[in-house]
Structure formats: structure tokens, C-alpha cells
Amino acid sequence: MAATMVQHVTESIFPSSAASRSSQDGPAKPVDLSKHLHLGMFEIGRPLGKGKFGRVYLVKHRPSGYICALKVLNKIEICHDGAEVHVRREIEVHSNLKHPGIISFYGWFHDRRRIFLLIEYASGGELYKTLRKEGRFSERRAAKYAAQVAESLRYLHSKNVMHRDLKPENILIGLHGEMKLADFGYSVHAPSNRRETLCGTLDYLPPEMLRPGRPQYNKAVDQWTLGVLTYEFLTGEAPFEDSPMMTKRRIAKDFVHSLLTLDPAKRIPFDKALSHPWILKYCERS
Ligand code: ATP
Ligand code: MG
């Protein structure tokens, strides 16, 4: 099944191999993958979104009439970015997951220029758009969404997978309004539960991943991002914009804190206050 299929994800899908390869394996239902997958099998519909290396389209699998999403990735752009390993991981990790809170992975194939990932279609679109449109969610709704995401993450962690790129853009909404985790480009299967790469989206990066030197972190990075996400559900804003140290708000806060210090000896002197980044940012000084 899917596990056999992912063994085919090797270097050779990236160089200019003329041969188009597809897989005979993969989940049999609801899309019948007993035949080799190829582009001609699909009726291409409207674009659903744009990713880093291509677009995602609504498609109909002609033999079964099943509606799915097809993520099309451009090989040259992937290689240009040196992101082969991410794509390979995305396929390897995603194809081994099966959970109602995670977009199902049906199969993949490729031609000379592109890699195609066939995945479950989420008719509710991005959670990000809903959140932006509605501003914020009620506590009841935020709690429901947070619980659904927590369940999916618990499942991922039980499979020794960290998502590492959780954000409202990567959470889709299913037919019944349920949360569906998507985009496993940064996810990783790490049985040792220890990683040293820096990745993910800055707003959501936990402090342990920003530590200078070689940051060491584990699956608990996904707990942090669930905290950030829940804050965003409730307020409509990320708690730490840009990077934890650099937000305007935090810089302003730092200025105030450095003056409102209980110990008089530790209050910043005025020359330091006048060269504080928050003052420098807003006040032109001769
Ligand atoms: P990035 O790295 O920029 O996040 P990506 O290449 O990993 O992008 P995805 O995040 O997987 O791509 O998909 C891009 C967009 O396409 C999503 O944000 C979403 O709007 C849409 N999309 C992706 N998959 C689906 C799906 N299964 N159903 C509906 N829409 C989808
Ligand atoms: Mg994405």
C-alpha cells in the first residue's frame, strides 16, 4: 500500500529523467489506483490555491468520477531552491498518514517537468481565509478547532511525525466544517524525537528553534504552534508577529519595561533610553 509506494521516492524523480513513472500502489479507495496514474486521467478544474512550487487544482478522476485536489509541483523550481528533500519528505510522510483530521493522500506521479500529488479535496478552503473574513472566532468555536487540531497532532506524534509548519494557511476545512491538516512539506519523521534544523514559519517558531548555535528541539514544537494558533483564533492576530524579538509591540514593551523596573539601579539611563530601538525607529534625531 502507501508504505510500498513511498519507497519509490528517490533522487531520480528530480533529474531530467525522461521516463514518466507512476505507482501501482497506494490506497485503493476512494480513488482506484490499480492503474498507473497519469495526467490524462484527470479533468482539471479551477485552481484552489498557490503553493511555493506550483498550484493546486480541483480535479476529477475520470475513471471513478471522484473529486480530488491535485498539487502540481515544478521540478526546476524545486531543484533551484534545493527543496528536493522537502518534497520527498512531504510524499513519504503524508502518504503514511490516515486520520479524519488530516487531508488524505491518494497517490503521486510525475512527468519530465512536474510532480503531481493527488490528495483529498477540502471544500471549505483555508482556515486562514475564514479567520481573516470573520476577524476572530468565539471561544466555543476556537476551543472546538483547537481540540480538533490537537487530536490530529496527537495522531501525528503517535506516528513520530512533527508537522513543524502549522499555521492557518496550512489548515483546511472539510465538508462538515472540520479541521484538516495539510501541507507536510516541512514535516519530518523523527523517531529519535530530536531535531536540529531550523524551519517553519517565523510567527510560529517556538523559542527553542530560535536559540543561537545549533537549536535542538523535539515534537513539543507543535504544542507551541497550537498555542500560537489558538491565540490567533481568539484575537485574529498572531501573538508574536515577524519574529519573537523584533515586533514593534515587543520593542515598545521592552522600552516601557526597562523604565518601569522596581530596582531603581536597574532602570535604564536616559541616554540608553534615547538610543532604544523603539525611539530610533520613530524619532528622527540630529
Ligand atoms: P506553501 O509552501 O507556500 O505553504 P505549498 O506548496 O506547500 O505552499 P499547499 O499549502 O499544500 O502548498 O497548498 C497551497 C494552497 O492550495 C493552500 O493554502 C490551499 O489554499 C490550497 N489547497 C491545497 N490543498 C488543498 C486541498 N486539498 N483542498 C483545497 N484546497 C487546497
Ligand atoms: Mg502551504
Side-chain angles (χ1 to χ4, degrees), residues 165 167 169-170 183:
D165 194 21
K167 51 182 172 171
E169 293 89 325
N170 288 336
D183 197 353

Side-chain angles (χ1 to χ4, degrees), residues 10-229:
T10 60
E11 297 282 349
S12 62
I13 62 175
F14 291 104
S16 53
S17 78
S20 166
R21 189 181 49 209
S22 18
S23 170
Q24 285 192 315
D25 309 307
K29 282 175 193 163
V31 179
D32 178 14
L33 298 182
S34 56
K35 294 192 179 68
H36 285 275
L37 284 174
H38 59 85
L39 199 55
M41 278 179 170
F42 298 94
E43 203 174 302
I44 309 291
R46 69 181 171 92
L48 293 170
K50 201 170 151 10
K52 217 187 287 146
F53 304 116
R55 286 182 189 276
V56 182
Y57 296 91
L58 182 67
V59 297
K60 184 160 131 187
H61 180 245
R62 290 186 216 265
S64 63
Y66 203 77
I67 301 292
C68 319
L70 191 67
K71 186 165 169 174
V72 183
L73 306 166
N74 185 312
K75 286 185 185 180
I76 291 180
E77 286 176 29
I78 295 169
C79 292
H80 197 258
D81 253 41
E84 296 93 327
V85 69
H86 287 147
V87 174
R88 211 173 301 131
R89 267 209 210 118
E90 175 166 6
I91 299 175
E92 283 169 0
V93 169
H94 200 171
S95 60
N96 279 297
L97 301 173
K98 194 173 175 342
H99 187 272
I102 291 170
I103 290 288
S104 300
F105 185 94
Y106 299 138
W108 69 280
F109 54 100
H110 68 118
D111 63 16
R112 212 163 43 83
R113 288 186 299 120
R114 297 157 300 181
I115 298 169
F116 303 89
L117 311 185
L118 188 63
I119 54 180
E120 177 186 1
Y121 166 54
S123 57
E126 276 178 35
L127 179 62
Y128 178 78
K129 286 193 184 134
T130 309
L131 185 57
R132 285 292 162 270
K133 206 166 78 195
E134 302 190 19
R136 60 173 107 154
F137 300 144
S138 69
E139 281 201 34
R140 179 182 296 273
R141 195 161 161 208
K144 199 175 88 185
Y145 287 173
Q148 286 179 1
V149 174
E151 274 184 17
S152 305
L153 290 173
R154 183 172 60 181
Y155 166 78
L156 283 187
H157 287 192
S158 77
K159 307 267 287 178
N160 290 317
V161 170
M162 333 179 185
H163 188 285
R164 304 197 300 182
D165 194 21
L166 199 64
K167 51 182 172 171
E169 293 89 325
N170 288 336
I171 300 178
L172 302 176
I173 304 175
L175 189 60
H176 308 290
E178 75 280 23
M179 304 287 94
K180 298 248 178 201
L181 301 194
D183 197 353
F184 290 83
Y186 283 105
S187 62
V188 69
H189 181 245
S192 74
N193 195 23
R194 284 245 310 280
R195 303 285 309 170
E196 288 181 354
T197 1
L198 183 66
C199 58
T201 305
L202 232 42
D203 282 352
Y204 300 86
L205 277 185
E208 63 269 31
M209 279 170 96
L210 288 169
R211 227 169 263 148
R214 297 182 74 195
Q216 277 217 345
Y217 58 92
N218 61 23
K219 285 189 282 196
V221 295
D222 288 335
Q223 268 98 307
W224 175 276
T225 45
L226 179 61
V228 174
L229 205 62

Side-chain angles (χ1 to χ4, degrees), residues 262-278:
L262 276 183
D263 181 353
K266 288 193 180 143
R267 281 175 211 155
I268 56 164
F270 289 118
D271 57 346
K272 270 203 173 167
L274 286 166
S275 58
H276 189 279
W278 186 61

